[in-house]
Amino acid sequence: MSPVKPVMSIPSSASVVSTGSFSEPGDLDIVCGRGKGSYNRPGNKRLRSVVQRFLPAYKAAPTRSGKSLVLYQVLTAVEDGGRVRFVKFNPREGWYNESSESEARDKVAHAMREATAAARKNGQTQRLIKLV
């Protein structure tokens, strides 16, 4: 697979989700939350897969704005697979609510930071194994 090249700017028409409530997220939905319940959902697994594809471009971005552009590309790539919603469970109401655009960006940014940390940790582990 060829490396992903960052776009030059974020279009002003970028849109991720609208608002709404529903009882159960779909398979494409990315659930914002903690624990295995959200981690193992198909949409969340797909998000992590897309993040891995863009990880080299994210690491290579020299500036914060460059990293933001890569995050926008991840959002676009996730949306290309169909109707994707970023959702969060509201325990008070017992419903899932669609997240705002900023919450969706935060979710992608967090996934990218986790992937970066895991890659760094894996690299350190590999170096330790070679030393032994």
Side-chain angles (χ1 to χ4, degrees):
M1 185 174 286
S2 64
V4 179
K5 296 179 183 176
V7 294
M8 297 312 294
S9 64
I10 298 173
S12 60
S13 62
S15 176
V16 177
V17 294
S18 60
T19 58
S21 297
F22 44 94
S23 61
E24 193 65 33
D27 283 343
L28 293 176
D29 292 338
I30 297 166
V31 179
C32 302
R34 298 174 60 161
K36 289 182 183 178
S38 60
Y39 186 84
N40 290 328
R41 295 205 51 91
N44 292 52
K45 288 179 180 180
R46 185 169 175 276
L47 171 64
R48 289 192 303 276
S49 171
V50 172
V51 163
Q52 285 298 318
R53 264 190 19 226
F54 285 86
L55 191 57
Y58 183 82
K59 286 179 170 182
T63 63
R64 185 175 178 181
S65 62
K67 291 182 186 306
S68 292
L69 292 174
V70 175
L71 294 177
Y72 169 74
Q73 286 183 309
V74 171
L75 276 170
T76 303
V78 167
E79 289 178 321
D80 283 346
R83 174 70 175 116
V84 176
R85 299 179 292 189
F86 286 78
V87 301
K88 191 170 191 174
F89 185 70
N90 184 336
R92 218 180 276 162
E93 296 175 2
W95 292 92
Y96 284 87
N97 296 316
E98 290 190 50
S99 300
S100 67
E101 288 184 42
S102 65
E103 289 172 322
R105 280 191 308 269
D106 289 347
K107 176 71 174 177
V108 170
H110 185 49
M112 188 63 79
R113 287 191 304 272
E114 283 182 338
T116 302
R120 190 177 315 117
K121 182 178 179 182
N122 189 29
Q124 290 173 348
T125 302
Q126 294 299 323
R127 282 187 292 241
L128 288 175
I129 291 171
K130 287 179 183 178
L131 291 175
V132 173

